[in-house]
Amino acid sequence: MEELTVKEQIDCDFHRVGRLGVAFKPQHFESMRAKQRDLADNFGHDTTLLSKSDLRAELGSDYYHGALLDPLSAHLHVGKYVHGLAEAAERAGAQIHERNAATALHRLPEGGFLVETLHGTIRAKQVMAATDAYTDKSLPWFRKRLINVGSFVIVTEPLGEERARQLIPNNRVVVSSKNIGHYTFASPRTTAWPSAAGPASPPPTPPRTSRAVTS
C-alpha cells in the first residue's frame, strides 16, 4: 500500500509510525509476550515488548499494563485514500459509474457473468465483489458469510501540538486489548480520536466515553 501511494502520488496522510498494542489487563500483557514469540519464530517479524514503566516513553498514561510495539505498522486517511485510488484507476483506464448499484449477479452457462444494475445490464468476464460491510441481498452467498462491525469515533477538542505530543509522543496508533477494541491516534491537526468497534447487527448503542488516554 505504501508503494502504491508513492507511485500514484495519493495524498492520504500515510505515515509508518508503528502500532502500539496496549494491555488492558495484566494477563493480556502475558498474551502479548506469547504473541511476540510467535511473530518472531513463525514469521520472522520483530516487535518490541514494553513493560508498564517502559510504556511511559510512548504514552502519557499509566492506565495500561504494558504494550507490544510493531514498528512497521502505519495509518492513513481512508477517505483520501479511496478518492486517490479511484483517480489512479481512472488514469489506468477503468470506468467508474457512481450511483448505479448492482442489484443481481448471474453466472452465464457459456462463461462470464451478467450483472443487473439500476441503470442497465452489464456482461463481464470477471466480477470482483468489493462491497465488504455494504454487501446486500444482490450477493446472498457473500452476505451471509460476513459479520458487520460498527465503529464509533469520539473526537476531542483541538489539543495543540505540545499536548498531543505529551499524550502520544511518537505519534503511534494505539490499540487496546479489550474484546471490543479501542484505537486512538493523533490526526494531522493534533486532535486525538478514540474509537470503539462492536457488532453492528442489531444496531449497537454508542459506547461510553473512553478512558484510553488520560494524563
Side-chain angles (χ1 to χ4, degrees), residues 2 34 43 56 59 62 91 108 113-115 130 144 158 160-161 177 199 209 214:
E2 182 177 16
F43 301 95
R56 248 306 182 177
L59 194 65
D62 295 317
R91 288 196 298 270
L108 299 174
F113 299 87
L114 193 68
V115 184
K144 66 184 180 181
E161 183 73 23
S177 60
T209 302
T214 58

Side-chain angles (χ1 to χ4, degrees), residues 6 9 50 59 84 130 141 164 186 192 205:
V6 173
Q9 297 182 339
L50 302 174
L59 194 65
W141 182 90
T205 56

Side-chain angles (χ1 to χ4, degrees), residues 55-102:
L55 184 56
R56 248 306 182 177
E58 292 283 352
L59 194 65
S61 172
D62 295 317
Y63 188 72
Y64 298 102
H65 297 270
L68 184 64
L69 172 62
D70 183 346
L72 295 183
S73 291
H75 68 71
L76 53 75
H77 190 298
V78 177
K80 289 182 178 180
Y81 178 71
V82 169
H83 284 288
L85 195 62
E87 291 172 354
E90 288 181 319
R91 288 196 298 270
Q95 296 180 19
I96 298 176
H97 299 272
E98 298 182 68
R99 303 183 186 279
N100 187 27

